[in-house]
Structures are given as C-alpha cells and as structure tokens.
Amino acid sequence: GAGVSQSPRYKVAKRGQDVALRCDPISGHVSLFWYQQALGQGPEFLTYFQNEAQLDKSGLPSDRFFAERPEGSVSTLKIQRTQQEDSAVYLCASSLGWIGLIYNEQFFGPGTRLTVL
Amino acid sequence: AQSVTQLDSQVPVFEEAPVELRCNYSSSVSVYLFWYVQYPNQGLQLLLKYLSGSTLVESINGFEAEFNKSQTSFHLRKPSVHISDTAEYFCAVSVTAGNKLTFGGGTRVLVKP
C-alpha cells in the first residue's frame, strides 16, 4: 500500500488481557514511531525505532508496554495485563528520517482504537 | 524537555471568515515546528512546517504560520476558511535527535455556513 497501515483498527479487551497492535510502515522508511492519543488530547510519544534498533523508549508508560521491530519493517506494540487507563488510540508513524540536511516528514497511520473494559 | 500549549480547544468560525489558531511552545534548545491536521475519521496529515529560513511558512491550501522566536509562538492563520477546513489541528515541535514529536492538545475548528 501507499501509506502506513495499522491493524486491527479497533480492539476491545477485558482488563488483564494482553494485546498486540501491528504497524506496517511505508516501504523503505527507516524511522518508525509509536504515539498514544487519549480521548480529547494530542498524541504522546511512546517509542522510536531506526531500522530494527529501538533508540528511544522513554515514552512507554510502564513495563507492561513493549515494542519490537525485529526485521526493521513491521512493528508490534504489545501491552500486557491491560488496564482501563490504557484505553486510547495508538498511532504509528514512519519516515525516511533526516537525509543529509533534508528533513523527511512523519506519515501517520489511521491508528488502532483500544478500549479496555 | 519540550512542551506545546494550544490555547483554544475549540474555535467556531463562519465560512469565509478568518481564523487564527494559537500555539506556544517551551524548549531549552532550538526546535522545529509543525502543524498537523486531522480531518474527521482520517489520520494525521502534515499541514506545514518550519525548519529554518523564512519565519513565514505557507501550505498549499491557504494556511500560513509564522515562527516568532521571541514569543516562542507558531500561530496558524487562514484569511478565509471553507467548510472543508473543519478538522482538528495540532501544533507540534521536535528537536534534532530522533525527530520525535511533542504535540499540543489540539484545536477543533468547526466552520459554519
């Protein structure tokens, strides 16, 4: 596809369940970001990959959150033992990153809306 | 750490009227500035960006934003809005390392006929 895709688009989980959210970035994009957007708020940074390396995970709210990108393409955000406060839209973005002095924008996927009951 | 404040959570405006969305940021280092737009039921799209050079930047659909370093602001303006501009607008900043974006809380623009 031409853009960033995310699956599932909607996920309902019972409190305590584990969930896995998938992101397919634009082909060739080395940088991949995950953001969390709570209802009525702006997106908040969770974690960043450059190829398969997770260079920044400072935004992950707890050790229940784990992200991986083992082959430098598809990424999965996993949330263990989900809590009600995890309910949010999870956004994935990819970009070519900086090439020389050229900044390449982040392209966002449609998001996965997670509802924890 | 950086932070972004969007002073207005909602802005109702009549069609063909001007609109200004306010954005202020705080940072101890130089930042790059962005406006993203989210149309109903769609993902975030980059509207315009300031990286360096001219402090006035424009988008292809008539929006403009001006970087004011002394006031740490990056307000977004459009002289005449259309119904199709109804959307939520997010101001964001980033520093060089990693390009991660720090977003404001968003401003919902509702254009009325």
Side-chain angles (χ1 to χ4, degrees):
Chain A
V4 178
S5 60
Q6 294 185 245
S7 60
R9 291 293 312 278
Y10 303 90
K11 176 70 178 178
V12 178
K14 292 183 179 178
R15 189 174 56 181
Q17 281 185 331
D18 298 348
V19 298
L21 312 180
R22 177 187 170 105
C23 172
D24 286 81
I26 295 171
S27 178
H29 279 195
V30 299
S31 298
L32 186 145
F33 304 82
W34 283 98
Y35 295 87
Q36 180 191 58
Q37 187 176 15
L39 187 63
Q41 298 182 24
E44 293 191 358
F45 171 78
L46 293 177
T47 187
Y48 158 63
F49 290 85
Q50 185 168 328
N51 296 305
E52 68 278 4
Q54 189 175 19
L55 299 185
D56 188 345
K57 54 182 181 179
S58 61
L60 296 177
S62 77
D63 59 7
R64 296 186 296 104
F65 286 71
F66 173 76
E68 61 183 5
R69 194 186 185 197
E71 299 179 357
S73 178
V74 172
S75 177
T76 304
L77 177 66
K78 297 179 179 178
I79 309 174
Q80 296 177 326
R81 305 181 303 281
T82 52
Q83 303 295 315
Q84 284 188 322
E85 61 263 29
D86 299 335
S87 295
V89 175
Y90 290 85
L91 299 170
C92 176
S94 72
S95 86
L96 291 169
W98 283 90
I99 300 177
L101 297 177
I102 305 297
Y103 174 88
N104 294 284
E105 70 176 273
Q106 292 184 32
F107 291 87
F108 282 80
T112 294
R113 183 177 297 277
L114 173 65
T115 303
V116 181
L117 303 177
Chain B
Q2 302 76 239
S3 68
V4 179
T5 301
Q6 291 183 243
L7 296 169
D8 306 296
S9 60
Q10 291 190 74
V11 174
V13 58
F14 287 105
E15 193 173 16
E16 298 183 5
V19 70
E20 179 180 76
L21 309 183
R22 295 178 291 171
C23 172
N24 288 87
Y25 68 93
S26 67
S27 175
S28 57
V29 298
S30 296
V31 296
Y32 304 97
L33 296 152
F34 307 85
W35 277 99
Y36 279 81
V37 59
Q38 189 170 34
Y39 297 105
N41 301 315
Q42 295 188 28
L44 285 165
Q45 301 173 31
L46 181 65
L47 187 60
L48 45 74
K49 63 182 182 287
Y50 170 79
L51 303 180
S52 65
S54 173
T55 57
L56 184 65
V57 291
E58 299 177 351
S59 73
I60 58 174
N61 56 353
F63 283 93
E64 65 179 29
E66 186 160 19
F67 168 52
N68 187 319
K69 188 174 182 179
S70 62
Q71 296 186 7
T72 61
S73 68
F74 192 54
H75 301 331
L76 181 70
R77 303 181 184 91
K78 188 170 185 179
S80 176
V81 295
H82 302 292
I83 295 289
S84 59
D85 293 322
T86 292
E88 188 151 21
Y89 294 80
F90 293 94
C91 182
V93 303
S94 76
V95 298
T96 302
N99 300 339
K100 66 181 180 184
L101 295 166
T102 300
F103 286 87
T107 298
R108 191 175 299 276
V109 173
L110 176 60
V111 181
K112 302 177 180 180

